[in-house]
């Protein structure tokens, strides 16, 4: 993966423009919305997009007066058409960084080409372990003693991109999937806020899969 363009805050001092994509409750989004209220955070959430209507994530954006949009796969004739439309909708907000925060669809080649190296995703497991939609459940079933969350730069694979940050949580003996996922999400939100802020304020580069802050 090539080195991404620097996010402008690190160059001009203007807040980085961030578009967040969600599919569900949006507690990670809320953490970003709350952090971005402080101008010193260095990032501004300029829009929130979703792949479905009626979700709490979109309501959270509305309550913060952040514009929203929806690109629902069922409204398009093909996955490719959806991918292109999603890229167009995101592009309209001229993002420096796109954050997938509980977005339950894989973005496609159009999207990745348009925003190459500027899309990050948070996954509720310690990559490369337990990729896919059931990270907490797979970790629990395997019997690991620690798991966590990973923030990574999105590539064409499933949860395979260069790692920005990871956070570790214990697995307790009496955990079920829901209790474990909730514990992961507490740590995940903090990781997301801390690292999106750093990406925005400091810029970043990627060499041989290693993500480093700074230009
Ligand atoms: C997060 O754990 C995210 O990593 C996963 O789904 C969860 C979304 O939570 N893909 P929320 O919608 O931010 O509350």
């Amino acid at each position: 993966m090539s080195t991404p363009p620097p996010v402008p805050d690190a160059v001009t001092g203007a807040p980085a423009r961030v578009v967040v994509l969600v599919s569900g409750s949006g507690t990670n989004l809320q953490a970003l919305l709350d952090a971005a209220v402080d101008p010193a955070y260095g990032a501004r959430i300029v829009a929130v997009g979703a792949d479905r209507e009626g979700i709490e994530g979109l309501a959270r954006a509305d309550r913060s007066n952040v514009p929203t949009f929806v690109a629902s796969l069922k409204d398009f004739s093909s996955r490719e058409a959806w991918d292109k439309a999603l890229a167009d909708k995101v592009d309209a907000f001229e993002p420096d960084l796109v954050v997938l925060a509980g977005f339950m669809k894989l973005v496609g080649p159009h999207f990745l080409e348009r925003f190459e190296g500027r899309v990050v995703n948070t996954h509720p497991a310690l990559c490369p372990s337990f990729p896919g939609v059931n990270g907490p459940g797979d970790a629990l079933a395997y019997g690991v003693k620690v798991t966590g969350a990973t923030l990574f730069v999105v590539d064409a694979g499933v949860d395979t991109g260069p790692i920005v940050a990871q956070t570790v949580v214990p697995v307790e003996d009496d955990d079920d999937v829901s209790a474990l996922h909730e514990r992961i999400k507490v740590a995940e939100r903090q990781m997301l806020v801390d690292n999106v802020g750093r990406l925005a304020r400091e810029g970043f580069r990627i060499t041989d899969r290693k993500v480093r802050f700074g230009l």
Side-chain angles (χ1 to χ4, degrees), residues 22-30 57 60 100-104 121-125 132-133 136 149-150 181-182 184-185 188-189 192:
V22 295
S23 295
S25 66
T27 64
N28 281 282
L29 164 67
Q30 187 67 56
R60 290 177 190 276
L100 311 185
F103 188 62
M104 301 307 282
N121 188 14
T122 175
H123 176 61
V133 293
T150 303
H181 197 175
E182 281 310 311
I184 291 169
K185 283 175 66 170
E188 184 179 29
R189 289 191 284 267
L192 187 66

Side-chain angles (χ1 to χ4, degrees), residues 106 121 123-139 147 150 152 157-161:
L106 289 178
N121 188 14
H123 176 61
L126 294 174
C127 296
S129 294
F130 312 121
V133 293
N134 193 28
D138 291 343
T147 184
T150 303
F152 62 94
V158 178
D159 303 324
T160 52

